[in-house]
Amino acid sequence: MAKVNIKPLGDRVLLEICECKDEMKGGILIPDTAKEKPQEYKVIALGTGKTDDNGKKIPFDVKVGDIVLTSRYGGTEVKVDGNEYKVVNQDDILAVVG
């Protein structure tokens, strides 16, 4: 895993797109422009955490290295050094895979 100089703030999580195999339907290679947006990501970094009304930090439900599913169009996509990442609020994470 490469070191990334992005530190999410608050209850945000930095995700890296999981590499998926090229899918073939009926022997036809699907071009990148026709593929659906990925929903499976690897957690790269966690923010500083959300604070409740009493000033107490709320722990994250995920940890670095987890594979997660997110809402299809939630979060913000960023590109750094040719790599694509997504920054989402913890609430945009739907499930942990595995």
Side-chain angles (χ1 to χ4, degrees):
M1 182 181 344
K3 179 108 171 136
V4 179
N5 286 332
I6 301 174
K7 177 67 177 163
L9 300 175
D11 68 336
R12 290 176 184 84
V13 180
L14 179 66
L15 305 173
E16 180 178 43
I17 297 172
C18 285
E19 294 298 322
C20 301
K21 298 177 272 187
D22 288 335
E23 296 180 30
M24 295 191 68
K25 303 265 183 180
I28 298 172
L29 183 63
I30 301 172
D32 289 338
T33 55
K35 291 181 184 175
E36 292 184 0
K37 286 185 169 252
Q39 290 181 271
E40 196 170 296
Y41 295 86
K42 184 175 186 178
V43 176
I44 301 298
L46 301 174
T48 53
K50 193 173 191 175
T51 306
D52 67 11
D53 294 335
N54 299 323
K56 187 176 175 185
K57 290 284 184 183
I58 300 171
F60 281 94
D61 295 326
V62 297
K63 62 185 181 306
V64 173
D66 281 350
I67 303 297
V68 297
L69 298 176
T70 67
S71 54
R72 188 172 307 257
Y73 298 104
T76 302
E77 294 176 356
V78 294
K79 202 171 212 180
V80 178
D81 296 330
N83 297 319
E84 294 181 30
Y85 301 97
K86 188 173 186 179
V87 180
V88 298
N89 287 329
Q90 180 175 237
D91 294 340
D92 289 335
I93 297 175
L94 305 174
V96 177
V97 178

